[in-house]
Structure formats: C-alpha cells, structure tokens
Amino acid sequence: MPVTLQEIVEQTRAAGLEISETEVRSYVSENWVLAEVREDTYYFDETDAARVKLIVELKRDMAVNDEAVPVILNLLDQLYGMREVLEDIGLAVERLPPSLRRELEDCLARVPGRS
C-alpha cells in the first residue's frame, strides 16, 4: 500500500529521526528514492519508505556525505539483488535429484576458501 510524503515524514520522526518534506523531495530529485506523483502528492512504496529512513541514518548517524549516499545505496541494491539470486539458486538445487545434488555438494566442497 503506497505511503504519502507526509506519512513518511511522520513515520521517520516517530522512529526518532528528524526529517522534513523538503529533504524527502530532495532524495526523490537525486533519484535516491522513487516516488509516484499524482495530483501534487508524492506516493512511495514500502521499500522506498524504508530507504528514506536508511538515508537519514546514513547522513545523520554515520555522517555520510551526499556524494557517498548513492554509492552506498547502489552497493546495497547489488547486495539485495545477489541475495535474491542466491535464493533462486538454492531453490533450484533443492529441486535437483539427490544424486546430482550430492555431486554439486562434492564440487562445492572442493572450492578453495569454503569451510
């Protein structure tokens, strides 16, 4: 369910993080978060609402500057994307016949650096 700009500000403040609507709009203009604009109202999905809180924490609690924010967000996006890929691979491996699964496990056991 979409969240409005005002709701994001209220939720972020309720989490103990100070933010203004102007700051959230600047995050949208920087393409750090995505928003749908309808009738002069910004709407955000849950992911971007959480991302606003993350950005505030990065900037305020960790003193991350504006130039580093998109780098960090990009790295996090890549990490989450890789997690999804690994989950898909895990599901595919679970569907393998037991003999092929054992063969794969044996191959993986020989990979250097694996415990």
Side-chain angles (χ1 to χ4, degrees):
M1 173 159 221
V3 181
T4 66
L5 175 60
Q6 183 177 6
E7 290 170 328
I8 282 189
V9 169
E10 290 169 2
Q11 290 172 5
T12 304
R13 288 180 177 165
L17 302 166
E18 191 57 39
I19 192 164
S20 68
E21 289 186 11
T22 302
E23 287 175 288
V24 178
R25 283 190 194 98
S26 74
Y27 299 169
V28 172
S29 69
E30 291 288 342
N31 293 314
W32 296 349
V33 295
L34 301 176
E36 181 181 338
V37 182
R38 294 185 308 236
E39 299 174 13
D40 295 328
T41 302
Y42 286 69
Y43 293 94
F44 302 83
D45 65 17
E46 285 183 30
T47 302
D48 283 299
R51 202 168 168 108
V52 167
K53 289 178 190 167
L54 172 65
I55 293 166
V56 173
E57 289 172 341
L58 288 171
K59 291 172 63 71
R60 304 256 164 78
D61 297 346
M62 298 179 183
V64 172
N65 64 33
D66 286 354
E67 292 76 27
V69 170
V71 174
I72 293 168
L73 294 175
N74 183 277
L75 290 171
L76 287 171
D77 290 343
Q78 289 180 39
L79 180 63
Y80 291 134
M82 289 304 294
R83 182 186 295 171
E84 290 176 4
V85 168
L86 288 172
E87 287 173 4
D88 290 345
I89 291 171
L91 292 172
V93 168
E94 287 176 11
R95 288 191 284 253
L96 288 174
S99 62
L100 289 176
R101 195 172 27 229
R102 276 191 300 279
E103 187 177 333
L104 177 60
E105 288 168 354
D106 291 344
C107 289
L108 291 175
R110 293 189 295 266
V111 172
R114 279 191 54 110
S115 304

